[in-house]
C-alpha cells in the first residue's frame, strides 16, 4: 500500500527544491512480482485525474505517459493498439491536450 499519486510526488519535489518539474514517465501499474495492469476504465479515470492535476500546477512544465505497447496483458495500459488506433487510455490522454 502507501502508493503516492503523481500529484503528491510532484508537489513534494517542487516544495523541496522550488524548481520547474518535468514528469518524464508516469502511469498506473504494479511491477511487484508479475506486472499487473489496471482495467481500461481505471486507466481512463487515472489519466483524466492526473492530467488535470498536472495541468493545474504552473510549475509542471512537461509530463509524459509511460507508454508500454498495447499488447497482451498490457492492452489497457498502452495508448495505441498499433501505430494508428488509440486505446481508451490513448483517447483520454489525447483529449487531455
Amino acid at each position: 500500500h502507501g502508493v503516492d499519486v503523481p500529484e503528491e510526488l510532484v508537489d513534494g519535489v517542487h516544495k523541496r527544491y522550488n524548481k520547474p518539474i518535468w514528469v518524464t514517465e508516469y502511469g498506473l501499474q504494479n511491477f511487484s512480482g508479475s506486472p499487473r495492469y489496471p482495467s481500461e476504465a481505471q486507466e481512463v479515470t487515472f489519466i483524466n485525474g492526473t492530467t488535470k492535476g498536472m495541468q493545474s500546477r504552473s510549475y509542471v512544465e512537461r509530463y509524459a505517459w509511460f507508454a508500454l505497447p498495447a499488447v497482451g496483458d498490457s492492452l489497457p495500459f498502452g495508448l495505441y493498439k498499433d501505430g494508428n488506433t488509440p486505446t481508451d487510455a490513448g483517447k483520454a490522454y489525447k483529449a487531455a491536450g
Side-chain angles (χ1 to χ4, degrees):
H1 201 64
V3 176
D4 294 316
V5 296
E7 292 92 338
E8 291 170 350
L9 294 171
V10 167
D11 290 345
V13 169
H14 180 68
K15 184 176 180 179
R16 182 172 185 161
Y17 298 105
N18 197 32
K19 299 285 185 183
I21 303 293
W22 287 24
V23 179
T24 58
E25 295 181 340
Y26 82 101
L28 180 61
Q29 58 190 321
N30 184 337
F31 282 119
S32 299
S34 295
R36 292 185 310 235
Y37 305 99
S39 69
E40 286 187 74
Q42 290 171 318
E43 196 70 32
V44 168
T45 298
F46 182 77
I47 287 170
N48 288 338
T50 56
T51 54
K52 285 178 188 172
M54 286 197 256
Q55 289 172 2
S56 72
R57 288 160 170 79
S58 62
Y59 53 84
V60 175
E61 293 183 343
R62 305 275 190 275
Y63 62 89
W65 190 250
F66 178 69
L68 292 173
V71 295
D73 63 353
S74 69
L75 183 61
F77 190 77
L79 298 182
Y80 289 87
K81 297 175 189 172
D82 56 36
N84 299 313
T85 309
T87 61
D88 287 345
K91 291 173 188 173
Y93 192 76
K94 182 179 179 181

